[in-house]
């Protein structure tokens, strides 16, 4: 099948949830590069939306998957699973969590975290505590309850009535948050850097104040680390950049390096909310997916990729800041580690995004005004130089 045939077949048989996609299909990948069916190389500065943390075809991940596939793919939750126990230990040993639970996606991890919060208060005989505060412009997933948690009307409209009990407040505004806290508040759930919402980081002082409010009012603090987790922000977990621990955090995206796996991670006092029968999964935490998680974490450790994300991310931000001095079209550069957003004058981001694609760079575009990059954690300073030079060229061309 050539590209036109692939597109025609997609249009005829695949549900139209993604509209006209970028007209390319990839055949294989290596390192930070993807190669299209028509033989062109693209530098992947999106990592499949923060998923391909080790880039493509990383030898350690590939060999771990090959080995595991030959041994065993799946057994079910009826039996003990070595890789599941090991991955849970690994995540708990390297974070503030005491227990983990695995599922298949980000939305499912958040859905599970919300169930855990509700169950925790149910078990404490405080079922009135059922309201969850999230932020405007947040993104927490596509299931009905995580759509309710997501503070963006456009994702909610067709699905009303939604799961009740979610309240949305503006980011980094402690006074408005305080106004919405009452005896029924069960949890505050937030992203440390809003990803899909436009790359908006949380303020450290705000987060410290949120933590204090949670402690004073018996409220569970939940971080959605589905995008910020696993090295993305220059620490293994985003909260480590802030020094403010959550009670629960969720992971997915980068954890499997391309294999679907999500996780709910929690401190013991809240994890006890789940007792046998309260929650479950068929595929979640199977030997294959957990071996991917283990291989990703091992490669990150062996190759110093968290440190790399920090230093190369810092370097990329500095380069973008100096580009901003040169081009008034760049309004703001923001983000943490290798999670960066470049806000541009109205409409420009979409044009730049298309130009960069023509020149072999995959980037993201939010609301037509924010260009987003999420390169793999293996990206080098030389790769960043290549991107910055191309970006500069593109801006000059459209001026
Ligand atoms: C991507 C994302 C999700 C949803 O993850 P899926 O695997 O698509 O369900 C939830 N929260 C955040 C912060 C995300 O970036």
């Amino acid at each position: 099948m050539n590209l036109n045939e692939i597109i025609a077949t997609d249009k005829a048989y695949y549900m139209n949830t993604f509209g006209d996609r970028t007209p390319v299909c990839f055949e294989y990948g290596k390192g930070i590069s993807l190669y299209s069916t028509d033989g062109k190389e693209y530098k992947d500065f999106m990592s499949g939306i923060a998923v391909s943390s080790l880039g493509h075809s990383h030898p350690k991940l590939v060999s771990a998957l090959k080995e595991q596939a030959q041994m065993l793919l799946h057994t079910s939750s009826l039996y003990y699973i070595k890789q599941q126990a090991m991955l849970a230990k690994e995540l708990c040993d390297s974070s503030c969590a005491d227990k983990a639970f695995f599922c298949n996606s980000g939305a499912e991890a958040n859905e599970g975290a919300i169930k855990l919060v509700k169950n925790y208060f149910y078990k404490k005989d405080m079922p009135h505590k059922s309201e969850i505060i999230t932020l405007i412009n947040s993104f927490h997933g596509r299931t009905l309850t995580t759509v309710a948690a997501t503070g963006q009307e456009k994702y909610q409209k067709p699905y009303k009535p939604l799961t009740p009990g979610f309240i949305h407040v503006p980011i980094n505004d402690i006074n408005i948050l305080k106004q919405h806290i009452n005896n029924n508040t069960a949890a505050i759930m937030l992203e440390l850097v809003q990803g899909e919402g436009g790359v908006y980081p949380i303020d450290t002082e705000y987060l410290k104040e949120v933590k204090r409010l949670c402690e004073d009012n018996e409220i569970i603090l939940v971080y959605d680390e589905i995008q910020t987790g696993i090295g993305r922000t220059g620490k293994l977990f985003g909260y480590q950049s802030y020094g403010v621990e959550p009670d629960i955090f969720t992971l997915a995206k980068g954890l499997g390096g391309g294999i679907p796996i999500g996780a709910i991670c929690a401190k013991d006092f809240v994890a006890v909310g789940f007792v046998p029968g309260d929650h479950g999964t068929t595929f979640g935490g199977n030997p294959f997916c957990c071996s991917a998680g283990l291989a990703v974490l091992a490669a990150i450790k062996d190759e110093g990729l968290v440190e790399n994300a920090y230093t190369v991310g810092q370097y990329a931000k500095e380069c973008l800041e100096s580009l901003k001095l040169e081009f008034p079209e760049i309004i703001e550069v923001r983000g943490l580690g290798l999670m960066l957003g470049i806000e541009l004058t109205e409409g420009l981001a979409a044009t730049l995004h298309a130009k960069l694609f023509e020149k072999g760079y995959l980037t993201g575009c939010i609301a037509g005004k924010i260009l987003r990059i999420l390169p793999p954690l293996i990206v080098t300073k030389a790769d960043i130089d290549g991107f910055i030079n191309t970006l500069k060229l593109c801006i000059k061309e459209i001026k």
Side-chain angles (χ1 to χ4, degrees), residues 278-318:
D278 282 349
H279 194 54
T281 169
T282 296
F283 291 122
N286 83 11
F288 187 70
C289 297
C290 288
S291 73
L294 285 167
V296 166
L297 290 177
I300 284 178
K301 205 181 260 179
D302 292 351
E303 295 171 25
L305 295 182
V306 171
E307 297 73 15
N308 189 65
Y310 181 84
T311 46
V312 177
Q314 198 77 9
Y315 177 70
K317 203 171 184 186
E318 282 161 20

Side-chain angles (χ1 to χ4, degrees), residues 2-60:
N2 65 29
L3 181 61
N4 287 334
E5 290 163 342
I6 296 166
I7 292 173
T9 310
D10 173 278
K11 295 283 179 203
Y13 295 104
Y14 201 78
M15 290 191 195
N16 189 28
T17 55
F18 302 112
D20 289 329
R21 313 185 201 203
T22 306
V24 67
C25 176
F26 299 108
E27 192 111 68
Y28 65 98
K30 197 169 175 22
I32 71 157
S33 291
L34 281 168
Y35 297 84
S36 67
T37 44
D38 43 14
K40 206 176 157 198
E41 179 186 356
Y42 293 85
K43 303 280 185 201
D44 185 1
F45 270 59
M46 277 301 278
S47 309
I49 319 190
V51 167
S52 314
S53 38
L54 303 181
H56 302 281
S57 305
H58 190 288
K60 285 177 193 155

Side-chain angles (χ1 to χ4, degrees), residues 105-107 110 139-141 191 196 224 226-227 253:
S105 69
N110 284 340
F139 185 83
H140 298 297
E191 297 157 89
E196 305 310 299
D224 176 345
I226 286 158
Q227 195 160 148
K253 294 203 161 100

Side-chain angles (χ1 to χ4, degrees), residues 112-125:
I114 292 163
K115 282 178 77 179
L116 181 56
V117 166
K118 292 202 168 206
N119 211 329
Y120 169 75
F121 286 114
Y122 175 80
K123 298 269 154 62
K124 288 196 84 173
D125 213 11

